[in-house]
Amino acid sequence: MKTLILLAVLGLASAAVHQHKLSWRPSKKIQMIRNGEYAAYLEYQRNLRATSPEVLANLPQNVNDFGDFEYLGNITIGTPDQSFIVVLDTGSSNLWVPGPTCKTNCKTKSKFDSTASSTFVKNGQSWTIQYGSGDAAGILGTDTVRFGAKGESQLTVPSTTFGIASKISADFKNDATDGILGLAFTSLAVDGVVPPLINAINQGILDQPLFTVWLEHRGAANNVGGGVFTYGAIDTTNCGPLVAYQPLSSATYYQFKAAGFKLGSYSNTKTVDVISDTGTSFLGGPQTVVDGLAKAAGATYDDFNEVYFIDCNAQPGTLDITIGSNTYSIQPVNYIVDAGNGQCLFAAFPFDFGGFGPSWILGDPFIRQFCNIYDIGNKRMGFAPSLQK
């Protein structure tokens, strides 16, 4: 009996901090630009807005535009484990994967079979999530969710409610991912479903109520490793000393204040709300500011593809973001992205949240330069330099 109790205690301790390895792939947006298909996709979106205004016309440029992600992780659901590849997204809060009744657009996806899991609990409540470039719908269920691949060290979260999709839009059809795992707060979740990581914190599974994101920056190289999410601790292996914490201005997204953006001769010192979002591969901000930064970098806007092109060999200097009393400088290697065919992109896009919510999205270029510490318990963000050279 003593041996069993000791093993149980050791099992809990090993789950208290978990490192979740990522894989990287080019975003759908980058792939379409390389293939000369992106302009046609934008025209399709415009036509959809015109013919189905209830779907897209009233939506701003959405944080959760999942044509624009790059970093994926493995999870399993149920007993025994059923494996899925998901977007690990700090800009949303729901977990969903396809179910067996999802036919159209799900042919290449892994599907969750509730009848094959001994720990599944039926819920049956319907749900629908509308994203900026697509949608998903289905029913809810409850089961054990494990962060990490089958056969590897996993963070096990029992009694987690998630979505079983019976329908996903065509935007998700050819993605490498099966579903989406949202890591933001419950207040952002559709139908108030408790997100898996918040559930883990509520159950006392993690050492600390926080996680760290380290994303590998890859320069002009493609298909290199992705990075690591560390749940329950600050990542001291891949991240340098903490620079500072910044309190959240809203515990929905990971939203906080920034006091300025600067590149070369251009600067803007207006204090704005920003969010840290692993599900967005570029930086997004107000049109006039992004235009100013792009011009200072020597980038030019292409109306056809709605992106900023820049010389692949350009060295415009750092893109500086002021948060609190500190300046965080992003090197060109992290904001100039190789789009293939000798073309490179200035990794920023103009967007408008419609007067509500944050003014900026600090996506992967910022997170590749600085490890982001999502301190859920203290409702604050921490930043530390990435140790990758």
Side-chain angles (χ1 to χ4, degrees):
M1 178 63 75
K2 289 182 179 178
T3 301
L4 289 174
I5 292 172
L6 178 59
L7 288 172
V9 171
L10 289 173
L12 286 172
S14 65
V17 174
H18 174 71
Q19 289 203 315
H20 198 170
K21 293 183 179 179
L22 310 178
S23 59
W24 176 86
R25 47 144 270 178
S27 70
K28 185 169 72 175
K29 177 178 179 178
I30 294 296
Q31 292 180 69
M32 287 189 289
I33 290 172
R34 287 177 180 172
N35 296 333
E37 301 168 346
Y38 193 58
Y41 173 76
L42 292 174
E43 183 63 25
Y44 157 76
Q45 290 286 70
R46 285 190 286 268
N47 289 338
L48 183 60
R49 284 187 175 91
T51 59
S52 304
E54 74 282 359
V55 176
L56 285 175
N58 62 341
L59 289 176
Q61 172 78 44
N62 201 290
V63 175
N64 306 317
D65 186 340
F66 288 102
D68 196 33
F69 59 78
E70 297 178 311
Y71 294 93
L72 309 175
N74 294 285
I75 64 167
T76 68
I77 304 175
T79 308
D81 301 61
Q82 299 179 42
S83 299
F84 302 93
I85 299 172
V86 294
V87 182
L88 298 170
D89 178 47
T90 59
S92 67
S93 296
N94 291 80
L95 166 63
W96 63 263
V97 295
T101 61
C102 188
K103 305 298 183 184
T104 306
N105 303 321
C106 287
K107 291 181 180 179
T108 62
K109 309 293 186 185
S110 297
K111 301 178 182 68
F112 177 74
D113 182 359
S114 62
T115 65
S117 174
S118 63
T119 47
F120 179 77
V121 178
K122 185 177 180 180
N123 179 303
Q125 179 182 335
S126 62
W127 58 272
T128 300
I129 301 178
Q130 177 70 59
Y131 299 112
S133 60
D135 60 90
I139 60 171
L140 296 175
T142 300
D143 210 329
T144 299
V145 173
R146 300 172 187 87
F147 292 66
K150 186 177 181 180
E152 298 179 354
S153 173
Q154 292 179 307
L155 172 66
T156 301
V157 190
S159 302
T160 297
T161 299
F162 64 102
I164 305 166
S166 57
K167 169 185 171 294
I168 63 173
S169 63
D171 300 81
F172 296 109
K173 180 178 179 179
N174 296 317
D175 287 339
T177 180
D178 297 311
I180 295 160
L181 196 166
L183 294 165
F185 290 87
T186 307
S187 55
L188 192 64
V190 171
D191 297 323
V193 174
V194 178
L197 193 64
I198 301 295
N199 191 24
I201 291 169
N202 292 345
Q203 294 185 42
I205 294 171
L206 296 179
D207 263 5
Q208 300 178 69
L210 57 79
F211 64 101
T212 307
V213 176
W214 171 70
L215 301 181
E216 292 191 52
H217 52 261
R218 63 189 191 282
N222 291 331
N223 300 317
V224 299
V228 176
F229 278 49
T230 301
Y231 304 105
I234 295 174
D235 182 351
T236 56
T237 302
N238 299 300
C239 309
L242 177 77
V243 176
Y245 283 107
Q246 181 73 6
L248 296 182
S249 54
S250 173
T252 48
Y253 302 106
Y254 291 95
Q255 182 172 316
F256 50 96
K257 300 288 186 183
F261 293 79
K262 182 179 186 301
L263 198 159
S265 59
Y266 178 83
S267 67
N268 182 284
T269 56
K270 181 181 179 181
T271 297
V272 293
D273 280 299
V274 304
I275 65 170
S276 169
D277 181 24
T278 57
T280 301
S281 58
F282 285 8
L283 306 171
Q287 175 92 50
T288 55
V289 183
V290 174
D291 282 346
L293 294 170
K295 183 178 180 180
T300 55
Y301 190 70
D302 182 273
D303 290 309
F304 196 55
N305 289 287
E306 297 185 3
V307 294
Y308 296 91
F309 285 108
I310 189 171
D311 188 322
C312 293
N313 297 315
Q315 289 295 324
T318 60
L319 196 167
D320 300 331
I321 303 173
T322 302
I323 301 170
S325 59
N326 296 283
T327 299
Y328 298 86
S329 297
I330 305 174
Q331 298 292 333
V333 69
N334 283 322
Y335 70 75
I336 296 178
V337 175
D338 184 1
N341 304 317
Q343 295 181 311
C344 286
L345 305 177
F346 178 67
F349 64 93
F351 94 111
D352 178 8
F353 221 104
F356 301 94
S359 297
W360 275 86
I361 304 168
L362 301 187
D364 297 341
F366 177 70
I367 304 170
R368 282 195 291 265
Q369 190 75 51
F370 294 94
C371 295
N372 278 214
I373 302 159
Y374 300 82
D375 190 340
I376 296 167
N378 292 303
K379 293 184 172 57
R380 61 183 182 175
M381 287 293 303
F383 309 102
S386 167
L387 294 179
Q388 184 182 359
K389 300 300 183 184

